[in-house]
Amino acid sequence: MGKLAANELQKMLNCIPPDERVVVPPQIGFDAGVHRLGDKLVAVATDPCTGVPEEWFGWLLINYAASDIALFGVKPEFCTITLLGPRPTSPSRFQKIMAQICKATTELDIAIVRGHTAMYDSLKDLLGVCTIYGTVEPIQLITSGGAKPGDLILCTKPLGIETITNYALTHKEKAQQLFGTQKQAEYGELVPMQSCVKEALALSKIAGVHAMHDATEGGFVTALNELAETSNTGFIVKQENITIPNEAHLLQKHLGLSETQMLSFSSTGTILAAVMPNAKQKVTETLQKLGLTAAFIGEFTETKERIILQNNTQTAFPSQADDPYTSMMTIT
């Protein structure tokens, strides 16, 4: 998709000077940053939004960043909004998106503190940026670097829900042909699945949940590799335990996608987490109350190997994601 390769991004981060006030500085594999504020910690996340169904633009803009905060066990409290568009952009277009933003912040009890709206000749389409922050007691902080050998790998939603849903909305006729009219309509209603705020906050309160990460750009491939890298572990994943919707297979066949591309399906709103075995039942019950099904797809290991097990055959888990999201959404 649009992110820099990890080695190129690291070159950018190398120039950031260390600061004792910053607990979690900008680094690869972490959904948010954290700094001190008196006796508390402040978690901060910022995310762009572009190229999504416009009727959900403002809602997604808020929930993208709010989800990143929640994955750290932090209640999203305040936000700033930047809305940019090409010249000319109708004021009513900005106003509709702002109404969506206000609806989303009301749902999550987030206060809007500041914003900026403008038009620029260099832009071709709408672009939004949201920064969200909230406070947390140090003992309650969770990061993606806390996975331990022996922890189970939890997955909260089926693979590729974001990709399938957005394809159903942006390629309605083709989706109806592939999935059927009823399934296309059903997926069109699943945009709220692209938020993980409620389940992340609920999971963060369970003893034994050691780390969480959103399987956004790069899907399972990026998220699992980053969890292992930041936690200094390996993992083994069982392919048969991964819930893969039939529509994902249909898209794979229609577009000629590889297995790596399938595992790389952008899955924003899907949490991959490290869970102690004795917390499995509590996690399962908590997710059931939120209408979600817990899938335990493998475990983290002391050895640094990253393995996927399929039909009793072990192979190396993909080291690099190949997320087809952007090309899929632009195909006519």
Side-chain angles (χ1 to χ4, degrees):
M1 293 177 75
K3 288 186 177 180
L4 290 177
N7 63 323
E8 297 297 338
L9 178 58
Q10 188 59 53
K11 292 176 184 177
M12 292 178 58
L13 301 180
N14 288 340
C15 72
I16 300 175
D19 192 308
E20 63 180 11
R21 296 170 295 179
V22 180
V23 178
V24 180
Q27 54 189 307
I28 297 169
F30 287 78
D31 293 298
V34 181
H35 66 82
R36 293 186 178 88
L37 187 66
D39 295 333
K40 288 194 173 185
L41 300 178
V42 178
V44 184
T46 189
D47 272 311
C49 184
T50 190
V52 301
E54 195 162 317
E55 63 267 32
W56 286 96
F57 191 103
W59 190 92
L60 289 169
L61 177 62
I62 294 298
N63 277 273
Y64 284 162
S67 292
D68 285 346
I69 291 291
L71 289 163
F72 272 45
V74 181
K75 164 70 173 67
E77 297 179 75
F78 305 98
C79 73
T80 65
I81 305 294
T82 297
L83 287 178
L84 308 177
R87 190 192 309 271
T89 296
S90 168
S92 63
R93 198 177 180 196
F94 283 127
Q95 290 156 8
K96 288 178 181 177
I97 290 171
M98 195 63 203
Q100 298 166 10
I101 288 170
C102 291
K103 180 178 184 294
T105 54
T106 299
E107 291 172 352
L108 297 175
D109 189 29
I110 298 172
I112 300 173
V113 179
R114 181 63 184 169
H116 175 80
T117 305
M119 295 175 285
Y120 296 94
D121 292 329
S122 58
L123 290 177
K124 295 181 179 180
D125 202 356
L126 288 173
L127 172 65
V129 179
C130 176
T131 298
I132 290 185
Y133 51 104
T135 58
V136 65
E137 297 291 343
I139 196 172
Q140 296 175 328
L141 184 69
I142 296 175
T143 75
S144 53
K148 297 175 174 57
D151 282 349
L152 304 177
I153 302 174
L154 165 71
C155 181
T156 60
K157 294 169 186 173
L159 179 149
I161 288 293
E162 174 196 11
T163 298
I164 301 167
T165 296
N166 289 357
Y167 187 88
L169 288 169
T170 57
H171 295 72
K172 183 176 179 180
E173 291 185 5
K174 179 55 68 175
Q176 287 176 341
Q177 293 174 16
L178 291 173
F179 309 157
T181 302
Q182 182 176 340
K183 275 293 183 180
Q184 182 277 329
E186 289 175 3
Y187 272 101
E189 299 296 323
L190 293 184
V191 173
M193 294 282 277
Q194 296 178 38
S195 173
C196 62
V197 176
K198 293 179 181 179
E199 56 265 36
L201 292 177
L203 290 171
S204 71
K205 294 177 173 61
I206 300 174
V209 176
H210 290 152
M212 295 190 286
H213 200 359
D214 192 353
T216 179
E217 292 186 32
F220 285 25
V221 173
T222 294
L224 276 172
N225 281 322
E226 289 185 346
L227 277 166
E229 190 69 28
T230 56
S231 300
N232 196 30
T233 69
F235 58 78
I236 183 166
V237 174
K238 295 182 179 179
Q239 177 88 20
E240 64 193 43
N241 290 353
I242 300 174
T243 304
I244 304 177
N246 183 53
E247 290 70 29
H249 290 295
L250 292 172
L251 284 171
Q252 180 187 28
K253 183 178 180 180
H254 173 64
L255 299 171
L257 304 176
S258 67
E259 288 298 317
T260 295
Q261 287 177 310
M262 279 272 286
L263 291 173
S264 302
F265 267 12
S266 187
S267 301
T268 299
T270 298
I271 299 174
L272 295 178
V275 177
M276 286 183 65
N278 61 9
K280 181 177 179 180
Q281 182 174 347
K282 180 65 174 177
V283 164
T284 300
E285 292 171 352
T286 298
L287 290 175
Q288 283 178 341
K289 291 177 182 177
L290 295 170
L292 299 173
T293 301
F296 292 91
I297 65 174
E299 68 177 61
F300 290 96
T301 60
E302 190 166 354
T303 172
K304 303 304 185 292
E305 289 183 292
R306 303 172 188 178
I307 295 168
I308 185 165
L309 182 64
Q310 186 173 15
N311 298 326
N312 294 320
T313 300
Q314 291 188 4
T315 57
F317 190 79
S319 59
Q320 187 72 36
D322 183 8
D323 192 338
Y325 181 91
T326 301
S327 60
M328 287 174 59
M329 298 307 152
T330 55
I331 291 173
T332 56

